[in-house]
Amino acid sequence: LVAGILGASPTNLTPALVLEALEQTSTTPDAVMDNKSGVGLASTACVAGPTPPPTPPPPTPPPTPCPGAALKVEILTDNYGSETTWKLTNKCNNDVVRTGDGYASNTLYTDDFCVDDPAEFEFEIKDSYGDGICCSYGQGYYKLYKNTVDLVIEGGEFEDIEIKTFGSCDVNPPPPAPTPPVTPPPVSPTPPPVSPTPPPVSP
């Protein structure tokens, strides 16, 4: 092929003639020189097009609505946070629905989660040392909210354990019994006025 391009016989080809033929047939202006033979090799590099923009991430799905009641446990630990543990039990089926432990000292923790509603719950908090989370070694406390804003239980001053319950397993709990009206004590009648003593009769 090279001999045909240059009009020379194959026996008369030199490296310079081969390089000239490659430059004439190359589709790119530059050629790559082979380091061993000194013969130019036609470049096969292609010019890449523009890089397409990255694909945007999918939108974040909205949070799943809570079908029951939204609870929030708020814990402020004392000077020995690792001593504090708690659990929340659904008393209607005895399922432990949430627990907490492994706390750092003097740190505020919040835990939001969804529970069945209606249901009765038992909140149990323990301190392994037996001095609660307030007020001997810090000003810790616990609070439990229903539907974000309704404070249902709170505390902090106890010894080794404190248990509180709230809610009801009844779908329609009975209304509280009406308080009977207070009957006032009977008022004693006012005694009639005492007649004045008549003057003595003269003899």
Side-chain angles (χ1 to χ4, degrees):
L1 175 61
V2 173
I5 295 172
L6 298 177
S9 72
T11 59
N12 296 328
L13 291 177
T14 63
L17 293 176
V18 175
L19 176 60
E20 180 183 352
L22 291 175
E23 289 177 347
Q24 291 177 9
T25 58
S26 174
T27 57
T28 59
D30 298 326
V32 178
M33 183 67 69
D34 185 280
N35 291 331
K36 292 184 178 180
S37 64
V39 177
L41 301 177
S43 173
T44 57
C46 298
V47 178
T51 303
T55 304
T60 303
T64 304
C66 177
L71 295 187
K72 179 174 75 171
V73 175
E74 185 176 289
I75 302 282
L76 177 63
T77 58
D78 61 3
N79 297 350
Y80 300 92
S82 61
E83 299 173 354
T84 302
T85 59
W86 62 269
K87 69 177 180 178
L88 184 71
T89 304
N90 184 335
K91 298 298 290 181
C92 304
N93 54 22
N94 291 322
D95 285 346
V96 176
V97 297
R98 210 72 166 185
T99 61
D101 57 15
Y103 294 127
S105 301
N106 299 308
T107 305
L108 179 64
Y109 294 89
T110 58
D111 189 1
D112 296 88
F113 50 96
C114 186
V115 296
D116 295 336
D117 190 39
E120 181 181 4
F121 295 96
E122 178 183 272
F123 181 80
E124 176 185 292
I125 185 168
K126 293 181 177 181
D127 182 89
S128 60
Y129 189 76
D131 61 347
I133 57 177
C134 184
C135 302
S136 300
Y137 298 97
Q139 301 296 316
Y141 66 81
Y142 68 84
K143 295 181 180 180
L144 195 148
Y145 296 88
K146 182 178 180 181
N147 297 326
T148 307
V149 294
D150 299 329
L151 179 64
V152 290
I153 58 172
E154 62 178 331
E157 292 189 69
F158 58 95
E159 295 182 354
D160 58 338
I161 185 171
E162 184 164 72
I163 297 175
K164 292 186 178 181
T165 60
F166 61 94
S168 172
C169 298
D170 296 332
V171 176
N172 295 308
T179 303
V182 178
T183 304
V187 179
S188 301
T190 304
V194 179
S195 300
T197 304
V201 178
S202 299

